Amino acid sequence: EKMGLEKMGMSWAEEMRGRGPAGESLRAGRPALCRDALSDPACEGIRKYVEARGWRSMISLPLSVNRAVIGALTVCSGQLDAFSDEEITLLMELAENLSFGIKTLRERKEREKAEQELRESEARYQDLYKSAPAAYLSVRTDGTIKRANAYAADLTGYELSELLKMKVLDLY
């Protein structure tokens, strides 16, 4: 069942509704296990909700990116004491993999944004270079003209294509 804590009447705050596994996992940044939700005092604030759903045991594992908890993976079962040590280990690996995936997606999005900003900046630079009311010449270390703008061509009397075949000293 996909729902947020708030919609479920739960919280991650240090209050009665936040004392279940999800709230504990989010606050403490470590796995929280409830082997019997109907008798565990930590589940008292969410017991009505848990009981209505037929859940007996729950485990919540933090999802972390760069050491910051960003969410939790919570698995609930109608079975009492449903999670073996091996299953807990597998669920912890799953939470780590999910965290890695989230981190990777966020980094990709940041990189794509930076690349887009770079393209936009380059386009502004190119526009400025080409249309500036001043002569611009970009020169290689051997003195050949690598780039020139239209104003430089007009000022020197050469065609742009001619300038790009010249050395800067040819202009003097």
Side-chain angles (χ1 to χ4, degrees), residues 75-95:
V75 180
C76 305
S77 173
Q79 186 179 2
L80 183 66
D81 198 14
F83 306 102
S84 69
D85 290 344
E86 183 180 339
E87 289 169 324
I88 292 169
T89 299
L90 289 172
L91 288 169
M92 289 172 68
E93 289 175 11
L94 174 62

Side-chain angles (χ1 to χ4, degrees), residues 38-156:
L38 301 183
S39 66
D40 189 330
C43 292
E44 184 180 342
I46 60 170
R47 190 159 291 130
K48 187 188 311 181
Y49 187 84
V50 168
E51 195 171 10
R53 302 256 171 322
W55 297 339
R56 288 300 304 267
S57 55
M58 299 179 288
I59 185 169
S60 189
L61 304 119
L63 302 175
S64 303
V65 173
N66 298 328
R67 298 184 182 173
V69 176
I70 60 161
L73 169 66
T74 302
V75 180
C76 305
S77 173
Q79 186 179 2
L80 183 66
D81 198 14
F83 306 102
S84 69
D85 290 344
E86 183 180 339
E87 289 169 324
I88 292 169
T89 299
L90 289 172
L91 288 169
M92 289 172 68
E93 289 175 11
L94 174 62
E96 288 173 11
N97 290 339
L98 286 170
S99 295
F100 178 78
I102 292 167
K103 177 183 178 189
T104 301
L105 290 172
R106 285 181 173 185
E107 288 172 348
R108 180 182 302 154
K109 190 171 187 168
E110 288 173 17
R111 186 187 71 245
E112 288 170 353
K113 181 182 176 198
E115 288 170 351
Q116 178 62 32
E117 289 172 355
L118 181 59
R119 284 189 293 276
E120 291 169 3
S121 175
E122 178 67 19
R124 286 190 305 274
Y125 168 76
Q126 293 296 333
D127 186 50
L128 177 63
Y129 191 96
K130 289 177 183 176
S131 61
Y136 285 146
L137 297 172
S138 297
V139 181
R140 292 184 180 91
T141 56
D142 68 356
T144 57
I145 298 172
K146 179 168 65 172
R147 287 184 56 203
N149 66 354
Y151 197 89
D154 289 345
L155 186 66
T156 61

